[in-house]
């Protein structure tokens, strides 16, 4: 019995260990995004934010509307009425209508596809980015960002978060901290939650299979436990005449 317990603890330990490694890959100074792919309500809120505020410029070229419905527990009707504003068909991928050359002209840069953004930059980076916009009249789009300095993205969530202003270090151009100089429709706590939901949704989009992998994990543990029991019973059987 001791053996069984030991190997089960080991298997669990391995599983926990692997998620730990993933969680600690973010930048050192970034706040934690607290991604939780099992929080379906958060993923749904994040999807709503993405389709209301981001799809005007950014695509998710590897993500189909039908897959979002399936993974986020939404019906076809809910997705087509509440999330799909581009006129795409249910089985089609999420493609923004923003023409690339137009965007380059307006922002100086084309908005990149965000399908793999969380894998490229980490969830903490995206969450930090969404919390670090401040007004900067010296920038062409009027906004700057402490996580991504001189980003040419106009901050689309300012109505929700409000307007942040940079406090510079005395005698320098370096930003010391950001201050909310004009409140938005959300309280700071509500905005943190909203940007966390949005990051959560983008983390799911970057790896839709992760949702299923969490479900497999339980079965793997059960299988290991069962297998250990069997092996133990077998061992007992083989050795019973030896002693
Ligand atoms: C008006 C157009 C526009 C909207 C709306 C918009 N973005 Fe962007 N976004 C851009 C542009 C342009 C860039 C490229 C900035 C650069 O490279 O300087 C960008 C860059 C980004 C990046 C960084 C990509 C990188 O380089 O790694 C992230 C993350 C991002 N956007 C997230 C979002 C999210 C989330 C939303 C919705 C809340 C959103 N964006 C809405 C135009 C937009």
């Amino acid at each position: 019995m001791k053996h069984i317990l030991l190997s089960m603890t080991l298997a669990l330990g391995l599983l926990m260990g692997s998620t730990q490694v993933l969680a600690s890959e973010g930048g050192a100074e970034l706040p934690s995004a607290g991604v939780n792919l099992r929080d379906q309500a958060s993923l749904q809120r994040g999807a709503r934010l993405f389709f209301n505020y981001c799809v005007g410029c950014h695509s998710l070229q590897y993500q189909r509307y039908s897959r979002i419905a399936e993974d986020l527990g939404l019906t076809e009707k809910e997705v087509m009425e509440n999330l799909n504003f581009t006129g795409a068909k249910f089985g089609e991928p999420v493609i923004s209508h923003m023409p690339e050359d137009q965007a380059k002209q307006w922002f100086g840069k084309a908005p990149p596809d965000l399908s793999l953004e969380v894998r490229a930059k980490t969830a903490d980076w995206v969450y930090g980015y969404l919390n670090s916009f401040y007004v900067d009249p010296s920038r062409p789009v009027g906004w700057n960002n402490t996580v991504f300095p001189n980003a040419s993205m106009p901050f689309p969530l300012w109505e929700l978060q409000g307007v942040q202003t940079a406090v510079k270090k005395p005698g320098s151009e370096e930003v010391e901290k950001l201050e909310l100089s004009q409140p938005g429709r959300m309280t700071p706590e509500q905005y943190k939650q909203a940007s966390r939901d949005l990051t959560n949704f983008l983390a799911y989009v970057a790896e839709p299979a992760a949702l299923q992998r969490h479900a497999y994990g339980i079965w793997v543990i059960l299988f290991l436990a069962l297998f250990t029991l069997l092996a133990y019973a077998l061992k007992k059987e083989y050795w019973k005449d030896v002693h």
Side-chain angles (χ1 to χ4, degrees):
M1 199 57 209
K2 231 164 69 193
H3 290 100
I4 301 182
L5 281 179
L6 199 78
S7 37
M8 280 180 68
T9 329
L10 240 156
L12 254 176
L14 277 176
L15 203 86
M16 304 296 225
S18 58
T19 39
Q20 279 296 306
V21 172
L22 276 180
S24 61
E25 270 171 8
E29 294 152 52
L30 293 170
S32 167
V35 160
N36 179 3
L37 297 184
R38 272 166 284 191
D39 188 346
Q40 198 172 61
S42 160
L43 292 176
Q44 291 176 353
R45 290 192 302 266
R48 194 177 264 272
L49 285 165
F50 180 86
F51 287 103
N52 275 296
Y53 292 98
C54 318
V55 80
C57 293
H58 293 283
S59 299
L60 304 173
Q61 59 176 332
Y62 300 124
Q63 189 74 35
R64 294 175 191 281
Y65 289 96
S66 49
R67 181 72 196 260
I68 294 178
E70 190 183 320
D71 288 343
L72 269 51
L74 299 167
T75 63
E76 172 169 359
K77 191 158 176 273
E78 283 168 334
V79 165
M80 296 308 272
E81 280 177 6
N82 302 327
L83 302 182
N84 182 337
F85 306 124
T86 65
K89 296 204 179 71
F90 188 53
E92 283 177 349
V94 177
I95 303 296
S96 169
H97 281 330
M98 172 67 67
E100 200 168 304
D101 43 347
Q102 269 297 338
K104 278 200 187 124
Q105 212 177 330
W106 285 337
F107 314 117
K109 286 261 176 60
D113 185 277
L114 294 183
S115 304
L116 303 176
E117 179 68 13
V118 164
R119 267 207 260 177
K121 295 280 174 76
T122 76
D124 293 352
W125 189 92
V126 171
Y127 176 68
Y129 177 62
L130 293 175
N131 279 277
S132 305
F133 279 92
Y134 64 93
V135 277
D136 183 351
S138 75
R139 295 292 308 155
V141 294
W143 293 94
N144 208 330
N145 191 291
T146 51
V147 167
F148 182 178
N150 299 334
S152 25
M153 170 169 139
F155 182 39
L157 301 175
W158 70 272
E159 282 171 315
L160 304 183
Q161 185 186 28
V163 176
Q164 295 192 121
T165 315
V167 180
K168 305 270 170 77
K169 284 194 180 135
S172 111
E173 274 305 291
E174 216 178 311
V175 178
E176 189 176 8
K177 59 175 183 187
L178 299 179
E179 259 176 13
L180 195 63
S181 49
Q182 185 192 313
R185 287 214 309 269
M186 291 181 165
T187 65
E189 278 316 307
Q190 286 171 331
Y191 180 74
K192 269 193 194 133
Q193 185 59 49
S195 49
R196 184 168 286 138
D197 294 337
L198 189 44
T199 308
N200 211 13
F201 174 69
L202 288 176
Y204 147 72
V205 167
E207 224 186 337
L211 279 186
Q212 272 114 16
R213 216 163 40 230
H214 279 302
Y216 290 148
I218 313 268
W219 291 109
V220 170
I221 298 267
L222 271 177
F223 172 79
L224 281 177
L226 205 79
F227 183 78
T228 316
L229 263 171
L230 259 172
Y232 186 68
L234 261 178
K235 174 189 168 265
K236 274 211 126 152
E237 182 64 26
Y238 284 152
W239 288 83
K240 81 171 177 248
D241 302 326
V242 176
H243 300 291

